[in-house]
Amino acid sequence: MTEFQLDPRHNAIIISPSEMPNDDNFELWAHLFLHAPEITISEFASGADRHQCRFSYAQQNFNLNFEHYSNSVWINGEGVAAEQLLAVLVHYFLTQMQQ
């Protein structure tokens, strides 16, 4: 089961997925992970060791990040309004997982 940890110090949601993505399948993994009625995916960016998926929720923009070398996944908000919604976004993800 995927676990979520709100990190207020870094204004991020730390994600511990049941199955970690890899470089080759991050885009597919992100589509499946973010598949929810109130989330809209806008773009993907890939680098040598980091991949990012930009998405919107509640009219705010967020980034789903995957870093290959540290094998870590997290979400950060773009701006103060998005950062204030991180706890709400965690609750939304947990609600969606129960359905």
Side-chain angles (χ1 to χ4, degrees):
M1 181 171 165
T2 300
E3 295 180 13
F4 300 90
Q5 178 185 359
L6 186 59
D7 181 350
R9 183 172 165 221
H10 296 104
N11 289 322
I13 301 168
I14 309 302
I15 302 167
S16 300
S18 53
E19 186 172 327
M20 191 63 73
N22 62 46
D23 289 341
D24 296 333
N25 72 1
F26 175 73
E27 189 169 343
L28 174 61
W29 185 91
H31 272 288
L32 295 172
F33 180 78
L34 296 172
H35 182 75
E38 295 182 34
I39 292 178
T40 304
I41 295 173
S42 56
E43 63 184 299
F44 285 90
S46 295
D49 66 340
R50 190 183 210 184
H51 304 281
Q52 187 177 72
C53 173
R54 188 169 190 235
F55 68 96
S56 62
Y57 169 76
Q59 300 177 341
Q60 296 298 320
N61 292 317
F62 298 87
N63 297 300
L64 172 63
N65 302 280
F66 167 63
E67 188 176 75
H68 171 77
Y69 293 114
S70 65
N71 215 24
S72 55
V73 179
W74 72 96
I75 292 173
N76 65 287
E78 293 183 6
V80 174
E83 289 173 352
Q84 292 173 344
L85 284 176
L86 289 173
V88 174
L89 184 57
V90 168
H91 179 70
Y92 179 71
F93 282 128
L94 293 172
T95 302
Q96 289 298 306
M97 289 175 60
Q98 293 175 353
Q99 295 181 356

